Amino acid sequence: MKKQSQFLWKVLPPEEQVDTEEVKESVEEVYVYKPPIPKPWVSLGSEKEIEEESVHESTVRAKYKISRERRQFGAPIKFGDYNASSVKDSYIECTAYADKNFTVKQLEKDIAIQVIPILMDTYTQTQWKFPRNATTQYMPREFSKEERETLLQSKDLKDFLNSVSLSVEAALQQNEIMNVFIDDWKVLAEEEATFGDKTDSHLKEYQSFTDLHNIKDKTITCICWHPTIYGLIAVSIAERLSYEERVQFSGKLLLQPSLILFWSFSDPIHPQLMLQSPDDIFCFRFCPSNPNIIAGGCINGQVVLWDISAHSERIVHVKGSGSTSKKAVLKPIFLLEPDSNKDAPYVRHCAVSSIEYGHKKLVTDIHWLTDNFEVNRMGYAFENRSGICCQLVTCSIDCTIYFWDIRPTRPPPIPTDKKKEETVEVPHDVPSTFLHLDLSWRPHIRITLAKSGTTLDHCPVKLSLRNESLNYQVQDAQILQQKAQIAGEDPYHNLESGLAKILKPIEDYNTKFFVGTEDGEVIYTDWRMERDHDSGRLISQKPLNRYAVHDGSINTVQRSPFYQDIVLTIGGWNVAIWKEGVSQGPLLLSACSTKMYTSGHWSLTRPAVFFVGKEDGYIDIWDLLEKTHEPAHTQNICITSITYIRPWMFSTRQQFLAIADYFGTLHILEIPWTLSHPLVNEVQSVYHYFDREVSHLKYTEKRKEIRAKQKTELHLESEKNKSKAVQKSKEQLEAELRMNYEEYLDFEKQTLGNLGVIPETDRLSSSFRDLI
């Protein structure tokens, strides 16, 4: 049996075997559940985090029991009236408030933040255009002569011209009447600015300069901005001593240097250059044609020349004391120690005038003559033969005005071998630009202002020429470079070559100028000389006009940068504005101020504005379009007297005002928009104002003449009446006296009769007797 079963198993068909395999597979896919076996818990620190984040009561809760009597439950409520008028604004609000006893401060808070980059898909398409060299030649296409004749005689052209002639004429008339291209919105905005808010008229402090080592017990006497370099300004310093104190300490003053300091906006602590002079400088000016040449007037009467060409690169490329990106840090004075690397170079003067032939006292003012003319010994104007500024004018309190020429009067002689050995070597640090003038420089015109009726002379302190340049701009550097190229590399060494040129006179040149004196007088005179009939020597002309309107020494005589015939004078306690050619008097004379005026200057961009400094540290800003009887604005600058004012315009959007005080500090203020940008038609408005003042002066002069004429007529009439009374005879006089006496008797009798003193019969008889 066993064998048979094995055989049968082997002979099973294959289909049955496949089925058995499928059954086996189905049995294996059955899922058998196995329960999880618990495992011991292993701590990984999560219970500590849960405990930290959980809230635990730190204090024990306070329990309160509130109760009231049973009979008070459901009691009626009574509302009362409240007068709303007793409360401000008739409004009552019950606002919530925080109880300080239950405030919870949040000490720490965890916030999760996830940063996701923002993606943006953009695309663009550009066209690549490469340059090509191409040329185009064209010729005008014109009608032939026959076509022109036929076109001009055609009826269509005539009809077209007749149809459009009226509209074209109307359009031309409109163009003549009004400007069609004007922007009305801009004009409207400018007009609104005139009546807008005046809070922008405040001068803002931009920077200040003071030298802790060289300006001790010194004051600033003059300020000059560099003509071509932005942010570079020069100041002259002098001792704060009176004349008696200078005489007393003259020995000590010789040991102290007299300097002109160059300050830069890039380095407000260290001066960039220091110009040395034989004595304290009271005034100085940059040469208009070459800013590297500087002329100054000393307190001892000498005129000094400097040449800073060797240091031009240093002052152009000024580097500050720190990085420009870092903000400036203010330090105490005792921490500002001098740095050996920041020592500014000392520049010695090239030439100084002769003591014997120069001024004998303080030089109070100096001006360069412009490069378009020069003056000969007679004072007549000629065309400039050198093409650069070669002459200057100075005035001094020794009652003289001198004209100087930096060119040699004759070509220099050729030195021989013996003379070469005797010549003194010039130090290497002194430029040889004006070596021919050193200690031998003398003026070629000497002018004195004689007082009428006396042998004394006027004492000039300030003067103003016709073509005086008040404004330097940075854009003028290109013009100066062009002039320098024309003149040559070193024009001052070849000035004698201009002597061979023939002088060409300038006809109708105005040689008259204004002078302010120490006594407060304004003088209008001519610098041309005239020959004395007796001796044949050249003498100065007498002053044409003289006005005594200021009650103190004049410190400012300056022409307007917009009108060459308008002059501003400041002195004592008042301000005056003059017009050249008007001899009746000043156009504007201010009332006396409470404090003395010390300096002033015109605005460089607004013709109606000028600045005036006072002795108490305040500055008055005058605006003639706003007020003409008093300053428009007043602002405090410092605690001491203001000694000098000098504006400067870098661009139309940025203007500065340099103000120096008595203690030697230089203040740089930024001029606001309202004081730097002119209004619409401001030049014409101020010009019309001056014209009205001129007509007013002429009218008052005529009224004075009419009043004087009427007064003389009344005087003559009274004299005639007196002469008639004297010509009466004695008999006529006796008859007039008799008649007056009889009239008196009749009046007496009538008065006594009315009082009852004389009887009625006597009065009637007397009257009857009179009738008979």
Side-chain angles (χ1 to χ4, degrees):
M1 291 295 291
K2 292 181 181 178
K3 294 180 180 179
Q4 188 178 359
S5 59
Q6 292 175 354
F7 176 76
L8 291 172
W9 178 259
K10 292 180 181 179
V11 298
L12 285 174
E15 294 180 359
E16 292 182 359
Q17 290 179 1
V18 174
D19 293 338
T20 55
E21 290 177 0
E22 291 180 358
V23 172
K24 289 180 180 180
E25 291 178 358
S26 62
V27 172
E28 290 178 358
E29 289 180 357
V30 176
Y31 176 73
V32 179
Y33 172 74
K34 294 180 181 181
I37 301 172
K39 296 180 181 180
W41 180 75
V42 179
S43 176
L44 299 178
S46 59
E47 71 277 4
K48 295 182 179 179
E49 295 181 1
I50 296 172
E51 186 178 357
E52 290 177 356
E53 295 294 336
S54 62
V55 179
H56 301 280
E57 294 183 356
S58 59
T59 58
V60 181
R61 291 186 179 183
K63 298 180 181 180
Y64 296 94
K65 183 179 180 181
I66 301 172
S67 62
R68 64 177 177 176
E69 297 180 359
R70 179 70 179 175
R71 58 189 176 84
Q72 293 181 356
F73 285 95
I77 300 173
K78 294 181 180 180
F79 294 95
D81 296 333
Y82 191 81
N83 191 3
S85 62
S86 61
V87 183
K88 185 179 180 181
D89 299 332
S90 300
Y91 178 74
I92 301 175
E93 183 181 4
C94 298
T95 58
Y97 64 94
D99 192 352
K100 297 182 180 179
N101 298 324
F102 297 98
T103 57
V104 179
K105 295 182 179 180
Q106 185 177 3
L107 300 178
E108 186 176 356
K109 185 177 181 181
D110 295 338
I111 299 176
I113 299 175
Q114 183 176 2
V115 180
I116 300 174
I118 300 174
L119 302 178
M120 183 173 61
D121 296 336
T122 58
Y123 64 93
T124 181
Q125 183 177 3
T126 58
Q127 295 180 358
W128 178 61
K129 295 182 179 180
F130 55 91
R132 294 179 179 176
N133 296 326
T135 58
T136 303
Q137 183 177 3
Y138 64 91
M139 295 179 63
R141 182 179 177 183
E142 298 179 352
F143 290 105
S144 62
K145 189 175 182 181
E146 293 79 6
E147 290 177 347
R148 293 177 192 171
E149 292 179 356
T150 55
L151 184 61
L152 292 175
Q153 294 177 0
S154 63
K155 184 180 179 182
D156 296 337
L157 180 60
K158 294 180 181 179
D159 295 340
F160 170 73
L161 294 177
N162 292 330
S163 62
V164 301
S165 60
L166 296 177
S167 59
V168 171
E169 185 178 356
L172 293 175
Q173 289 178 356
Q174 290 178 359
N175 291 338
E176 291 293 332
I177 293 172
M178 61 178 293
N179 185 8
V180 296
F181 300 103
I182 193 171
D183 191 352
D184 296 333
W185 290 107
K186 288 186 178 180
V187 175
L188 183 62
E190 290 290 339
E191 290 295 335
E192 288 178 355
T194 58
F195 303 101
D197 191 9
K198 296 297 182 182
T199 57
D200 195 23
S201 60
H202 188 79
L203 298 173
K204 300 177 182 178
E205 182 91 15
Y206 186 81
Q207 208 166 7
S208 62
F209 300 94
T210 181
D211 193 353
L212 303 176
H213 309 287
N214 297 317
I215 310 185
K216 186 178 179 181
D217 298 332
K218 293 187 179 183
T219 184
I220 296 177
T221 57
C222 187
I223 301 173
C224 278
W225 293 89
H226 196 279
T228 58
I229 301 176
Y230 170 77
L232 190 66
I233 185 171
V235 296
S236 59
I237 56 177
E239 296 287 341
R240 297 198 298 263
L241 299 175
S242 62
Y243 179 76
E244 291 78 9
E245 292 174 343
R246 281 185 173 275
V247 174
Q248 182 179 359
F249 301 106
S250 59
K252 295 181 179 179
L253 294 178
L254 293 175
L255 303 177
Q256 297 181 0
S258 301
L259 304 173
I260 294 179
L261 305 179
F262 279 71
W263 294 103
S264 175
F265 286 176
S266 304
D267 190 358
I269 300 176
H270 307 91
Q272 304 304 316
L273 282 181
M274 290 187 286
L275 309 185
Q276 293 180 335
S277 64
D279 208 339
D280 288 343
I281 296 294
F282 193 83
C283 57
F284 69 97
R285 290 289 185 274
F286 286 94
C287 180
S289 60
N290 186 3
N292 292 326
I293 305 301
I294 304 171
C298 294
I299 203 168
N300 62 355
Q302 289 181 300
V303 181
V304 189
L305 291 174
W306 291 273
D307 185 5
I308 59 173
S309 302
H311 307 275
S312 58
E313 294 184 0
R314 175 186 176 88
I315 60 179
V316 169
H317 305 287
V318 178
K319 295 183 179 180
S321 57
S323 177
T324 55
S325 61
K326 296 182 181 179
K327 188 175 180 181
V329 180
L330 298 177
K331 297 182 180 180
I333 294 178
F334 58 85
L335 293 178
L336 297 176
E337 298 180 356
D339 190 2
S340 60
N341 297 329
K342 289 293 181 179
D343 290 340
Y346 287 89
V347 181
R348 297 180 61 181
H349 56 270
C350 299
V352 65
S353 64
S354 173
I355 300 177
E356 181 181 359
Y357 298 101
H359 292 290
K360 302 300 184 292
K361 294 183 180 179
L362 165 68
V363 179
T364 55
D365 202 2
I366 185 171
H367 295 274
W368 286 89
L369 299 186
T370 56
D371 57 356
N372 58 354
F373 80 101
E374 64 179 69
V375 179
N376 64 353
R377 294 181 66 254
M378 291 290 294
Y380 291 93
F382 293 84
E383 290 186 359
N384 194 338
R385 54 195 174 191
S386 302
I388 56 178
C389 296
C390 298
Q391 293 181 343
L392 49 91
V393 56
T394 60
C395 66
S396 174
I397 57 176
D398 61 354
C399 305
T400 57
I401 298 175
Y402 287 169
F403 282 77
W404 307 78
D405 198 326
I406 62 176
R407 296 170 295 189
T409 56
R410 59 181 62 87
I414 301 173
T416 59
D417 297 338
K418 294 183 179 180
K419 291 184 178 181
K420 286 182 180 180
E421 297 176 358
E422 297 176 357
T423 56
V424 180
E425 294 183 359
V426 181
H428 66 280
D429 58 342
V430 177
S432 60
T433 310
F434 303 105
L435 186 61
H436 58 279
L437 300 176
D438 195 19
L439 296 177
S440 62
W441 193 18
R442 62 177 67 183
H444 68 285
I445 298 179
R446 296 177 174 86
I447 299 175
T448 57
L449 305 175
K451 291 185 178 181
S452 60
T454 61
T455 57
L456 302 177
D457 297 330
H458 293 283
C459 183
V461 290
K462 295 292 179 180
L463 55 89
S464 176
L465 305 178
R466 179 74 177 182
N467 295 326
E468 182 181 3
S469 59
L470 296 179
N471 182 23
Y472 290 117
Q473 297 184 6
V474 178
Q475 289 79 5
D476 294 339
Q478 298 178 358
I479 301 175
L480 295 177
Q481 290 178 0
Q482 294 176 1
K483 291 183 178 180
Q485 291 178 1
I486 296 172
E489 296 182 357
D490 198 354
Y492 295 98
H493 282 176
N494 300 320
L495 288 178
E496 61 272 7
S497 61
L499 297 172
K501 299 180 181 179
I502 300 175
L503 297 179
K504 184 179 180 181
I506 302 176
E507 298 180 358
D508 300 332
Y509 192 84
N510 189 3
T511 57
K512 301 177 180 62
F513 64 104
F514 282 85
V515 180
T517 66
E518 193 176 16
D519 299 330
E521 296 178 335
V522 178
I523 297 175
Y524 185 62
T525 184
D526 195 337
W527 71 53
R528 287 184 296 184
M529 309 294 287
E530 59 182 9
R531 291 194 178 275
D532 189 7
H533 298 288
D534 298 332
S535 61
R537 297 176 58 187
L538 295 176
I539 59 175
S540 304
Q541 297 186 17
K542 295 182 179 180
L544 302 176
N545 295 316
R546 183 180 63 87
Y547 310 93
V549 295
H550 295 284
D551 45 11
S553 177
I554 294 178
N555 53 70
T556 302
V557 179
Q558 191 179 101
R559 293 182 182 267
S560 172
F562 298 90
Y563 319 101
Q564 287 294 322
D565 55 349
I566 300 297
V567 181
L568 171 68
T569 60
I570 302 173
W573 285 265
N574 55 0
V575 178
I577 296 179
W578 310 78
K579 185 172 183 179
E580 191 173 6
V582 179
S583 59
Q584 286 80 8
L587 305 183
L588 173 66
L589 182 62
S590 67
C592 291
S593 175
T594 56
K595 298 294 182 179
M596 181 181 289
Y597 291 135
T598 56
S599 60
H601 204 286
W602 282 103
S603 173
L604 300 179
T605 54
R606 288 197 57 186
V609 176
F610 58 90
F611 309 95
V612 182
K614 297 192 291 187
E615 63 179 355
D616 58 350
Y618 281 80
I619 182 171
D620 290 343
I621 304 172
W622 287 74
D623 190 348
L624 300 180
L625 294 182
E626 185 176 349
K627 296 179 182 179
T628 57
H629 64 285
E630 63 180 2
H633 310 283
T634 301
Q635 182 178 342
N636 179 256
I637 304 299
C638 53
I639 61 174
T640 184
S641 175
I642 295 175
T643 59
Y644 208 88
I645 295 177
R646 190 79 171 182
W648 186 62
M649 181 176 65
F650 170 66
S651 64
T652 56
R653 295 185 178 182
Q654 192 174 29
Q655 298 182 26
F656 299 105
L657 185 67
I659 300 177
D661 60 13
Y662 184 70
F663 289 158
T665 303
L666 179 63
H667 306 269
I668 306 298
L669 306 176
E670 190 171 1
I671 302 176
W673 178 274
T674 55
L675 297 178
S676 60
H677 289 73
L679 308 180
V680 178
N681 299 326
E682 182 174 351
V683 178
Q684 291 80 3
S685 300
V686 178
Y687 181 76
H688 293 326
Y689 165 72
F690 290 144
D691 282 348
R692 290 195 300 271
E693 293 299 323
V694 171
S695 60
H696 176 70
L697 285 176
K698 292 180 180 179
Y699 173 74
T700 54
E701 191 71 19
K702 289 181 181 179
R703 293 298 301 172
K704 287 180 181 179
E705 294 177 359
I706 293 172
R707 291 294 184 186
K709 188 176 180 181
Q710 291 177 354
K711 189 176 181 180
T712 54
E713 290 178 355
L714 290 174
H715 182 68
L716 291 174
E717 187 176 356
S718 62
E719 291 292 335
K720 287 181 181 179
N721 294 332
K722 289 181 181 180
S723 63
K724 288 181 180 180
V726 173
Q727 290 176 359
K728 292 180 180 179
S729 61
K730 294 182 179 180
E731 297 177 355
Q732 292 177 351
L733 294 174
E734 290 177 358
E736 290 179 358
L737 291 174
R738 193 181 299 113
M739 288 179 62
N740 293 333
Y741 181 69
E742 290 177 356
E743 290 176 357
Y744 169 74
L745 292 176
D746 294 339
F747 178 73
E748 183 183 8
K749 289 178 182 180
Q750 186 178 1
T751 304
L752 294 175
N754 295 332
L755 295 174
V757 178
I758 300 176
E760 187 71 21
T761 56
D762 295 342
R763 191 176 65 173
L764 292 174
S765 62
S766 62
S767 62
F768 180 74
R769 188 168 52 252
D770 293 337
L771 290 173
I772 295 173

